[in-house]
Amino acid sequence: MIDHLVLGFSVAFTFQNLLMAFVGCIVGTAIGVLPGVGPLATISLLLPLTFGLDPITSMIMLAGIYYGAQYGGSTSAILLNLPGEVTAVVTTLEGHKMARAGRAGAALAVAAIGSFFAGTVATLVVAMAGPVLTAVGMAFGPAEYFSLILLGLIVTTVLAQGNLFKSLAMIVLGVALGLVGTDLQSGQLRFTLGFMELFEGVGFVPLSMGLFGIAEIIRNLEDPENRAGSVARVGSLWLTRKEFKRSVPPVLRGTVLGSVLGVLPGGGLALSTFASYMLERKVSKYRHEFGNGAIEGVAGPESANNAASQTSFIPMLTLGIPANAVMALMIGALMIQGIQPGPRMISEQPTLFWGLIASMWIGNLMLLVINLPLIGVWVSLLKVPYKTLYPAILMFCAIGAYSVNNSVFDVYQMVLFGIAGYFLIKLHFEPAPLLIGFVLGPMLEEYLRRTMVLSRGDMIVFLERPISAAFLAISALVLLAMIVPSVRRKKDEALEE
């Protein structure tokens, strides 16, 4: 592993890769600070730019945006009581109370230090777990991969926010959209509705930019302008001896929780922050301070979300399974470059795999160094009205969608998916599972058909192979564990009426 990490750092320490890591961290922090933008929309916007970059360089930049957003989200949560990221919602509970008590600097400092420590540990976890999972994945056949992808889709459905059945509907819709285009075995067009432009399938970039760029702009324009609120004074960025001592155990616990839960498909990031906060409320000696600015309520969740953002790369890099919608975008970026994430990635793309892992540690160090000195810049950014931001975002969306294939049809696709995404949000359908289903759907079909060819159409093969049968059993148990309580709840409500 040491030799592999040496290779990774030799790749990551080139000027171009260091520059792109820095750019990714700065952009990620900025969009994390700005509520209503987020890494999904930003990475979707920047996907067209990655075509002209080396695959390693582009992934380092996109990864920097992703975990940089986890850092940035805490800034607006603490200073303005406005979470820039969903993972920063928990931080508002204690962080803004600390800011109102004159300890905003301490809250920002512990968020940055905890995130750096958690990111460092999680990077080592990724480095150690990657080869192990890759070795396991190499033993998989088509049946095992089909069952694993099915498990990933079901877990994504279960852990997604909102209604279970709506999440399931989004997964199914995503899978259906992924099947549009030319059948690779027969060469026949399917589900194209007569549009020849869809012979290669629905565009990944127009879909993602529409769902997470255009739709978010429309939704944000509905909200009243609320960024003009007062920003808390930062004050000293130093922790007192007591605050530092109180912060160490929550940071350690949050790091462990985030490292484990980040691997889960679906809501691992949000789940890790909420789990860390609830754990601290139960085990802290100072739980009577929770709700009034307990530093444990910032240190634990911020460490957990940064650790989870790093370990969410594990299933994506080693098995080709996205742990969340951002990882689905990462897979899309790699596939556009002709690289298929999976068990063969370490052997076929060692410089990409280990270079990306090494860049995670470098990026975390950059974030620690640049974030606290630039607090004044982020405070100024919080005061920018949204009406000056969205026209520029719209322009970049249109340019990005067009530049992929030099096709106006792709711009139309983006607008259509943007309008559809807006109505999905209004109807409380979460779009993220749709994107994961879109990425995994074609893979699910491919492995199903391969298995059927090898077994000559015998479906029992999925149960005859032990690993496949285990994945299917877990899928059934997870689904039942969520459906049964929901059905019982509805029956109870019907009886009460």
Side-chain angles (χ1 to χ4, degrees):
M1 188 179 74
I2 292 174
D3 291 340
H4 289 147
L5 288 176
V6 169
L7 169 64
F9 279 107
S10 70
V11 172
F13 269 115
T14 62
F15 174 76
Q16 185 180 23
N17 289 341
L18 284 175
L19 178 62
M20 287 299 103
F22 179 77
V23 169
C25 290
I26 288 288
V27 172
T29 303
I31 59 102
V33 167
L34 288 171
V37 183
L40 267 174
T42 305
I43 292 175
S44 299
L45 291 175
L46 294 179
L47 276 181
L49 298 181
T50 63
F51 301 156
L53 297 174
D54 182 87
I56 301 173
T57 305
S58 62
M59 288 302 292
I60 286 174
M61 181 186 70
L62 295 179
I65 292 172
Y66 178 47
Y67 49 75
Q70 311 311 317
Y71 270 75
S74 63
T75 303
S76 56
I78 291 168
L79 297 180
L80 204 62
N81 199 30
L82 200 63
E85 264 293 287
V86 66
T87 52
V89 171
V90 174
T91 307
T92 62
L93 301 177
E94 306 300 330
H96 190 63
K97 295 287 175 55
M98 289 182 65
R100 290 174 62 182
R103 297 299 294 148
L108 291 167
V110 77
I113 294 169
S115 294
F116 172 72
F117 175 80
T120 300
V121 172
T123 300
L124 291 175
V125 172
V126 175
M128 290 186 291
V132 175
L133 279 179
T134 296
V136 173
M138 292 293 285
F140 282 17
E144 286 79 8
Y145 266 112
F146 170 83
S147 301
L148 175 62
I149 293 171
L150 185 63
L151 173 61
L153 290 173
I154 289 174
V155 174
T156 298
T157 303
V158 170
L159 294 182
Q161 299 174 358
N163 184 281
L164 174 66
F165 296 101
K166 288 184 177 181
S167 299
L168 183 60
M170 287 293 93
I171 288 282
V172 173
L173 179 58
V175 171
L177 287 172
L179 301 181
V180 173
T182 305
D183 187 320
L184 294 178
Q185 290 192 4
S186 67
Q188 296 293 315
L189 294 180
R190 56 184 185 181
F191 314 126
T192 59
L193 302 177
F195 292 101
M196 289 304 297
E197 293 88 348
L198 292 175
F199 79 98
E200 289 186 344
V202 173
F204 179 80
V205 172
L207 173 67
S208 57
M209 291 175 76
L211 286 179
F212 302 105
I214 304 296
E216 282 297 311
I217 289 173
I218 299 172
R219 186 178 66 85
N220 288 329
L221 288 174
E222 278 193 329
D223 296 334
E225 197 68 50
N226 54 10
R227 286 181 183 79
S230 59
V231 180
R233 191 176 66 86
V234 175
S236 173
L237 293 171
W238 291 101
L239 293 171
T240 65
R241 184 186 296 271
K242 183 181 179 182
E243 286 172 335
F244 182 81
K245 187 177 179 181
R246 285 177 57 175
S247 300
V248 171
V251 166
L252 295 176
R253 287 189 289 262
T255 300
V256 173
L257 265 178
S259 298
V260 174
L261 296 177
V263 181
L264 294 176
L269 268 178
L271 183 63
S272 65
T273 57
F274 282 96
S276 175
Y277 183 75
M278 296 307 295
L279 178 64
E280 295 308 319
R281 289 196 65 158
K282 288 184 178 297
V283 304
S284 174
K285 295 179 182 178
Y286 303 91
R287 51 181 169 269
H288 59 280
E289 293 185 17
F290 275 76
N292 297 303
I295 197 168
E296 292 86 349
V298 177
E302 283 299 311
S303 302
N305 84 52
N306 208 65
S309 70
Q310 309 278 19
T311 56
S312 62
F313 281 87
I314 293 175
M316 187 274 281
L317 291 173
T318 59
L319 300 174
I321 306 295
N324 52 53
V326 174
M327 290 300 107
L329 286 175
M330 297 283 191
I331 289 178
L334 284 172
M335 293 174 71
I336 289 170
Q337 299 262 14
I339 298 171
Q340 177 64 56
R344 298 185 183 276
M345 193 167 178
I346 289 184
S347 59
E348 294 178 355
Q349 302 285 341
T351 54
L352 172 58
F353 185 90
W354 294 107
L356 180 59
I357 289 175
S359 76
M360 291 180 186
W361 185 83
I362 295 171
N364 275 283
L365 182 60
M366 285 181 175
L367 285 166
L368 181 65
V369 172
I370 66 179
N371 255 350
L372 295 180
L374 292 179
I375 285 295
V377 176
W378 309 135
V379 170
S380 300
L381 196 59
L382 282 169
K383 298 177 181 178
V384 175
Y386 193 71
K387 64 183 179 182
T388 62
L389 287 176
Y390 84 84
I393 297 173
L394 279 174
M395 180 184 70
F396 284 118
C397 281
I399 293 172
Y402 178 81
S403 64
V404 177
N405 296 310
N406 293 329
S407 170
V408 177
F409 185 79
D410 285 350
V411 179
Y412 294 154
Q413 283 191 75
M414 179 191 70
V415 173
L416 178 64
F417 286 123
I419 296 170
Y422 166 73
F423 283 110
L424 288 174
I425 293 170
K426 294 293 287 184
L427 295 172
H428 305 291
F429 284 88
E430 189 182 357
L434 188 154
L435 187 66
I436 295 175
F438 180 77
V439 171
L440 292 181
M443 298 166 61
L444 189 75
E445 181 200 21
E446 179 185 353
Y447 289 119
L448 173 63
R449 294 174 77 165
R450 281 188 190 179
T451 307
M452 290 297 92
V453 169
L454 292 173
S455 67
R456 298 183 179 181
D458 187 3
M459 298 287 289
I460 300 298
V461 67
F462 291 108
L463 301 177
E464 289 177 341
R465 299 180 71 91
I467 297 177
S468 173
F471 285 145
L472 291 176
I474 295 170
S475 300
L477 289 173
V478 169
L479 205 53
L480 283 173
M482 292 303 295
I483 289 177
V484 171
S486 178
V487 172
R488 284 180 177 174
R489 198 180 307 117
K490 287 185 177 180
K491 284 185 176 179
D492 291 340
E493 289 174 358
L495 289 173
E496 288 176 3
E497 292 176 359

